[in-house]
Amino acid sequence: MAITRAECQALDDRDPLREFRDAFSLPPGIVYLLGNSLGALPRHTPERVARTVESEWGVHLGASWNTAGWWDLPQSTGDRIAPLIGAGPGQVLAGDSTSVNIFKAVAAALPLRPGRRVIVSDLDNFPTDRYVVQGAADALGSYEIRDVGSLGSQDSTGSPDDALADALDDDVALVLLSQVDYRTGAMRDLAQVTERVQAAGAIMIWDLCHSAGALPVEIGAADFAVGCTYKYLNGGPGAPAYIYVAPRHQEAVRNVLSGWHGHAAPFAFEPDYRPAPGVRRFATGSPPVLSYAALNASLDIWEKVDMHQVRAKSVALTSLFVELLDELAPDLELAGPRDPERRGSQVSYRHPDGYPVVRALADRGVVGDYRAPDIVRFGFAPLYLRHVDVFDAATALAAVLSDESWRDEKYAHRLAVT
Amino acid sequence: MAITRAECQALDDRDPLREFRDAFSLPPGIVYLLGNSLGALPRHTPERVARTVESEWGVHLGASWNTAGWWDLPQSTGDRIAPLIGAGPGQVLAGDSTSVNIFKAVAAALPLRPGRRVIVSDLDNFPTDRYVVQGAADALGSYEIRDVGSLGSQDSTGSPDDALADALDDDVALVLLSQVDYRTGAMRDLAQVTERVQAAGAIMIWDLCHSAGALPVEIGAADFAVGCTYKYLNGGPGAPAYIYVAPRHQEAVRNVLSGWHGHAAPFAFEPDYRPAPGVRRFATGSPPVLSYAALNASLDIWEKVDMHQVRAKSVALTSLFVELLDELAPDLELAGPRDPERRGSQVSYRHPDGYPVVRALADRGVVGDYRAPDIVRFGFAPLYLRHVDVFDAATALAAVLSDESWRDEKYAHRLAVT
């Protein structure tokens, strides 16, 4: 073996992030490689949520809109997310779902480029990004969608973004891309792509769902960004998403979902909408306070984290996994980049029977997931995963493949949510 | 006195809903008349939320999308709300905020009436209804907004909806109204207004925020409805809202916020959007699961409730409050209808210094609220309010007015959230 389990243990012993594992409540006996889908529960989240339910709501009731800061949750939570994407205070608003925020960003961006009628969308993007753009393009005035395929999803030797360059012209109003590909983990150069898109006169919107919390994101010159908080950021299932709006655009753009929480004077109950100053105008309706409580509990952890340490450990873990499987299962086809600098915190393989493979692996205590049509996907959350976990996961996957236990009929049955 | 506290106590002793009070965790020593703004905490909600956090999320993690029914929450929760508004299974979807659902309903309704360019909006509607319509009218194709004022908000001797009749013509695509006025509690005849709007060829969208849970709503022939669940329905701060779509429209309409949760085959990860059958297409992004847990805990109570008993008690409580204040504070000006059959579960008064009055009253343990410019507002949640509470509230309000304690400088300072 390239590395022994004891050597992995030694790496864990000197891991500068090792103490963070105790901040999470992990189910015993499993290796959880789905932190890229639903992050683990921070240990102090139950108490934080209980306080919001029993005291803020149960005892103080409506007064908590002031005294517990409920009204300000979209901004105060956004300000805590901001450092994780290289943004500053007043630039990020937490709320709604990623899908709703994509709609807000697209609808805000299009009027910034009047006369341009094309939206560039990525065939390999997470489907909701595509679906929301399709809905928006139709509803907001018959915009044309220009699909570019396989952007960054291939481990090609050429630049993965050549297709993007070909798609850019004077008709393009905006480009919506993910920094990290949800299937393969391939990562784009955010700064370089932003520069290229803006050089063509278009607005750049980034989806950070698969990068924020996994690596140090530097939003830089980008115009807008959206992201979720329930993956690497451990905010809980369906936790509030967020939108970033570059300061230079904030006073010029409108939020088409112009609800009262984004009004300049919400308690004046004026008959007509007037946008609040700054990013607050991107608020819409009442915030789901219990879900914000859980998210804020996880952000208590994240504000103590050095994202460069996270990235270093992430590169080490994903590289270790790939090296082990190169040795243990040499026939397995890597789906994403081999160069760890070009991937997020995720490793994916192609397997024609990916679904039963993932289910058989779960029966051995290793939780990954499947993404149609043939992707077996493993996420590596550096705050709570150890090198020994990676060792155990790689050996379990190799065993499932070599003993063909995945062929058992019981693994063929598809669950509703895969 | 028209009635004594002892007589109120006797009424409480034979109240058929009296046992529901124990289902709620109410702070001691106060009379909470803000159940129309943020409903009280059901006693078993903390345990239900804790189970979702600690077990469904903490232990079972991503598997809970299947095993705990997370994926189906928008539909399953919607189906539990449906009976409260006179709807059936598959007609209501729970999710997002009321504001976002208004946008969805308006954007779905407009294409049903091609060629009609006018949206009728009510000057007295809750501001977010107006603001969202303004945003949608602009973004979705320069629709004209026709504002009708004072609809139903006056206790006039004539029909409160004459103004609506005048506003309806062949250009009107849709009408958005609230069943119960948030300021005055005035209630519209839902069936009659729906009939009148549809007779003019327009789509009727109802906002049920101030009526569902307060009285038996019969959605009847209406086209769409939206509502929140954190007021009378006790779902918790910012709990998921809902949208009702009449079955006859479901296969014809689109959800402009076309996220992957509303896709026909979300786990096929197809490149193009295809709407799910039925009301599910109105789902957008990932549901805030913790907030749904609290809402479902409250719906455990609501499914045991006879809404006709709720309405009978509501009429009794609001009538008692008005009668007591007629006697104790005869100069106080009632803002809503005197006829209890024409109001929701809310009584409002006009007072030029409404804000300090409400704050002084809170210092005596009676919690109401203020709505600009001059409304002092009291909500009566029949499941946890008693006749003695109404007695105590009315006498406290009369005392604050007669001793003028509200003139104390400390009550003048405005909180951010009023």
Side-chain angles (χ1 to χ4, degrees), chain A residues 192-208:
Chain A
Q192 193 182 77
V193 172
T194 299
E195 192 181 351
R196 196 177 298 187
V197 167
Q198 292 176 341
I203 295 285
M204 183 68 224
I205 305 177
W206 285 102
D207 179 338
L208 307 174

Side-chain angles (χ1 to χ4, degrees), chain B residues 328-376:
Chain B
L328 297 168
D331 293 341
L332 199 56
E333 183 191 350
L334 188 66
R338 185 160 289 275
D339 176 1
E341 297 303 325
R342 288 183 50 212
R343 69 175 166 241
S345 202
Q346 174 191 329
V347 175
S348 297
Y349 290 95
R350 290 189 199 284
H351 192 290
D353 294 289
Y355 187 76
V357 166
V358 162
R359 296 203 55 205
L361 191 59
D363 265 3
R364 296 197 183 220
V366 177
V367 181
D369 75 355
Y370 165 77
R371 282 291 174 258
D374 61 355
I375 294 287
V376 176

Side-chain angles (χ1 to χ4, degrees), chain A residues 25 27 30 32 38-42 45-46 49 53-54 57-59 61-62 65-66 70-71 96-97 99-100 103 123 126-128 130-132 134-136 138-140 182-183 230 234-238 254 256-260 263 267-273 284-291 294 371-372 415-418, chain B residues 25 27 30 32 38-42 45-46 49 53-54 57-59 61-62 65-66 70-71 96-97 99-100 103 123 126-128 130-132 134-136 138-140 182-183 230 234-238 254 256-260 263 267-273 284-291 294 371-372 415-418:
Chain A
S25 175
I30 71 161
Y32 187 65
L38 176 65
L41 171 66
T45 295
V49 173
V53 173
E54 294 170 42
W57 173 15
V59 176
L61 288 154
W65 285 105
N66 285 301
W70 288 355
W71 186 266
D96 297 306
S97 62
S99 300
V100 169
F103 191 89
L123 266 172
F126 186 78
T128 214
R130 298 182 47 77
Y131 302 160
V132 171
Q134 289 165 9
D138 184 37
L140 300 174
Y182 80 106
R183 277 199 184 95
Y230 50 76
N234 311 95
R254 66 171 185 188
V256 67
L257 297 174
S258 47
W260 73 301
H263 194 276
F267 290 94
F269 297 98
E270 296 172 4
D272 295 323
Y273 181 72
T284 300
S286 294
V289 169
L290 310 191
S291 292
R371 282 292 174 256
L415 301 173
V417 178
T418 63
Chain B
S25 175
I30 70 160
Y32 187 65
L38 175 65
L41 171 67
T45 295
V49 173
V53 173
E54 294 170 42
W57 173 15
V59 176
L61 288 154
W65 285 105
N66 285 301
W70 288 354
W71 186 266
D96 297 307
S97 62
S99 300
V100 169
F103 191 89
L123 266 172
F126 186 79
T128 215
R130 298 182 47 77
Y131 302 160
V132 171
Q134 289 164 10
D138 184 37
L140 300 173
Y182 80 105
R183 278 200 184 94
Y230 51 76
N234 312 95
R254 67 173 184 186
V256 67
L257 297 174
S258 47
W260 73 301
H263 194 276
F267 290 95
F269 297 97
E270 296 172 4
D272 295 323
Y273 180 73
T284 301
S286 294
V289 169
L290 309 192
S291 292
R371 282 291 174 258
L415 301 173
V417 178
T418 62

Side-chain angles (χ1 to χ4, degrees), chain A residues 24-370:
Chain A
F24 295 89
S25 175
L26 298 162
I30 71 161
V31 176
Y32 187 65
L33 300 181
L34 260 181
N36 58 320
S37 176
L38 176 65
L41 171 66
R43 204 176 282 281
H44 74 300
T45 295
E47 182 279 330
R48 180 68 188 77
V49 173
R51 190 175 87 211
T52 295
V53 173
E54 294 170 42
S55 173
E56 292 175 18
W57 173 15
V59 176
H60 300 290
L61 288 154
S64 288
W65 285 105
N66 285 301
T67 55
W70 288 355
W71 186 266
D72 295 324
L73 280 171
Q75 285 172 282
S76 64
T77 309
D79 282 348
R80 300 185 77 192
I81 294 167
L84 296 165
I85 64 168
Q91 298 174 13
V92 177
L93 195 84
D96 297 306
S97 62
T98 306
S99 300
V100 169
N101 281 298
I102 292 170
F103 191 89
K104 289 183 185 181
V106 168
L110 289 172
L112 294 174
R113 293 295 178 269
R116 292 182 171 227
R117 306 298 305 169
V118 173
I119 298 173
V120 170
S121 179
D122 171 8
L123 266 172
D124 287 325
N125 208 344
F126 186 78
T128 214
D129 297 62
R130 298 182 47 77
Y131 302 160
V132 171
V133 159
Q134 289 165 9
D138 184 37
L140 300 174
S142 303
Y143 288 85
E144 178 198 332
I145 294 174
R146 189 171 293 165
D147 284 320
V148 287
S150 302
L151 277 181
S153 69
Q154 305 295 323
D155 190 12
S156 66
T157 47
S159 162
D161 291 318
D162 285 349
L164 175 62
D166 293 344
L168 293 173
D169 62 27
D170 289 352
D171 288 333
V172 176
L174 69 88
V175 177
L176 168 63
L177 298 173
S178 285
Q179 187 180 12
V180 171
D181 185 284
Y182 80 106
R183 277 199 184 95
T184 66
M187 180 169 63
R188 289 202 173 81
D189 185 325
L190 188 150
Q192 193 182 77
V193 172
T194 299
E195 192 181 351
R196 196 177 298 187
V197 167
Q198 292 176 341
I203 295 285
M204 183 68 224
I205 305 177
W206 285 102
D207 179 338
L208 307 174
C209 284
H210 295 83
S211 49
L215 47 98
V217 176
E218 289 297 336
I219 198 62
D223 298 284
F224 297 87
V226 300
C228 74
T229 63
Y230 50 76
K231 297 178 186 289
Y232 292 103
L233 293 178
N234 311 95
Y242 58 88
I243 185 169
Y244 162 84
V245 183
R248 67 185 177 281
H249 293 314
Q250 288 187 5
E251 301 308 317
V253 290
R254 66 171 185 188
N255 173 13
V256 67
L257 297 174
S258 47
W260 73 301
H261 279 249
H263 194 276
F267 290 94
F269 297 98
E270 296 172 4
D272 295 323
Y273 181 72
R274 277 195 299 131
V279 78
R280 175 78 201 194
R281 71 184 55 181
F282 282 87
T284 300
S286 294
V289 169
L290 310 191
S291 292
Y292 280 83
L295 172 53
N296 274 288
S298 76
L299 293 171
D300 292 344
I301 298 174
W302 282 99
E303 70 188 7
K304 297 177 196 141
V305 171
D306 176 340
M307 288 305 300
H308 296 282
Q309 289 183 342
V310 167
R311 177 62 176 160
K313 184 173 173 186
S314 164
V315 166
L317 295 180
T318 59
S319 300
L320 174 62
F321 192 67
V322 171
E323 283 163 29
L324 286 166
L325 283 165
D326 278 350
E327 186 173 324
L328 297 169
D331 293 340
L332 200 56
E333 183 192 351
L334 188 66
R338 186 161 289 277
D339 176 1
E341 296 303 324
R342 289 184 48 213
R343 69 175 167 242
S345 202
Q346 175 191 328
V347 175
S348 297
Y349 290 95
R350 290 188 199 283
H351 193 289
D353 294 289
Y355 187 77
V357 166
V358 162
R359 295 204 55 206
L361 191 59
D363 264 3
R364 296 197 184 221
V366 177
V367 181
D369 75 355
Y370 165 77

